[in-house]
Amino acid sequence: MTGSHFTPEQTQVISNAVTAIREYAPTCEAAQDVTPRAAQALSESGYTRLTLPSQYGGLGATLTQFALAQVELGRADASLALILAMHGHVTGSAFQGRSLPEPLLDAVAGASRRGELLNALASEPELGSPSRGGLPRTVAVPDGSGFESAAWLVTGRKTWSTGARALRWALVSAATPDGRVGRYWIDLHAQGVRIEPTWVDALALRGSGSHDVVFDRAPAALQAPPSGAHPSGSAWFWTAVAATYLGVGHAALDALMAYTQARVPTALGAPIATLPHVQENVGRIAANLLAARTLLLHATGTWDAAPAAQAIALIGAAKAVATNAAVSATDLAVRTAGGGALTSELPLGRLLRDARAGLTHPPGEDAAYTAFGVARLADPGTGGWMSPEAPGSP
């Protein structure tokens, strides 16, 4: 991590988060859940303030700074890194896009200052990811009249709730009786909320505790009326995902390099790092990760220079490239390490599984590349895709 990219306080909270993740990731992986001590350590790291604007008591990270930070967290462990990624993207996008009413923004800011973890819960068993459209089965019934009511009761089930047991707050998407979709601020420690342990023996991200959260007339003190989607939502979420999984790819490269330099077969009498095919594979992995990182930072730099819808297709393409680079890196690392990759001596098995999860997050490859292709066909010149910080165009 290059310290010059961050303020001293940003550097400190990132370091705190990485330390906490490295310490507690093994126990969370074994428990297949976020342990209470891990949740406390994440909360106390100060990372929840990273993307909160300075005028609200936060550290005011830009999208590029957030990306750089999440690469380091993902390098430490994807499961716990994603919990902080979710908090960071919800906070960063809400304030940059002003996509929530002021009272709700104040609630998000207060939770972030206090280190109380939050997430946006939208996916459902029938709906899947809301990125493809559809009306949620989760419903919100007003205890009063219309959206001016201060009390709403939410009933339904949300899946893939990253860090469920570690969360204090959730922004829950729910349909109103008239078929509109709002977002509701719910205290997950309140009555009417329970966590169902469905994230057991998962293929990947076992330590994330991404269980189902079930609501039974759970009270929501604050709500956000239906509104059009703001591009900041996609910008921050896609960056959070891309950067975290790119970190997984870097972790695989780190593990492979250490192993090949330490492994000295008797017949060879030298580290296997001296073998040409090993050197070639390390070079391939490193080059692919560097290319993906360069594109991601170009995309976030473009957004930071002009946070508008035009940059969204570029960020989506960067997400697709980054997650595929992580998958390729972990796969080739396993092939290169050989039998050693099959043992618990190396983390490559876990990294291989965790990297695959990156492909499941929106946008999917089809949507990402199609949107970028449409954008480039509409603007074939390079000027619209160049940020001041990045020479050249993808």
Side-chain angles (χ1 to χ4, degrees), residues 161-183:
S161 305
T162 305
R165 296 192 197 279
L167 303 177
R168 176 62 189 271
W169 302 98
L171 270 172
V172 180
S173 300
T176 61
D178 59 0
R180 296 185 292 171
V181 179
R183 288 174 292 171

Side-chain angles (χ1 to χ4, degrees), residues 33-34 159-164 198-199 205-212:
D33 209 341
V34 185
T159 57
W160 304 329
S161 305
T162 305
T198 53
W199 200 253
L205 307 174
R206 292 177 179 173
S208 70
S210 300
H211 305 298
D212 287 9

Side-chain angles (χ1 to χ4, degrees), residues 240-303:
V241 171
T244 301
Y245 288 101
L246 194 56
V248 175
H250 280 291
L253 178 60
D254 293 341
L256 177 63
M257 290 194 300
Y259 177 71
T260 60
Q261 289 165 342
R263 171 69 172 155
V264 182
T266 302
L268 182 62
I272 60 173
T274 61
L275 296 174
H277 83 276
V278 170
Q279 296 166 346
E280 177 188 353
N281 288 350
V282 167
R284 286 180 181 274
I285 295 171
N288 286 337
L289 293 175
L290 179 59
R293 177 188 176 98
T294 301
L295 176 57
L296 177 60
L297 297 183
H298 176 88
T300 58
T302 300
W303 173 268

Side-chain angles (χ1 to χ4, degrees), residues 351-372:
L351 295 173
L352 179 73
R353 291 186 287 102
D354 285 352
R356 299 290 304 182
L359 303 178
T360 69
H361 296 280
E365 286 184 60
D366 56 345
Y369 288 130
T370 299
F372 189 52

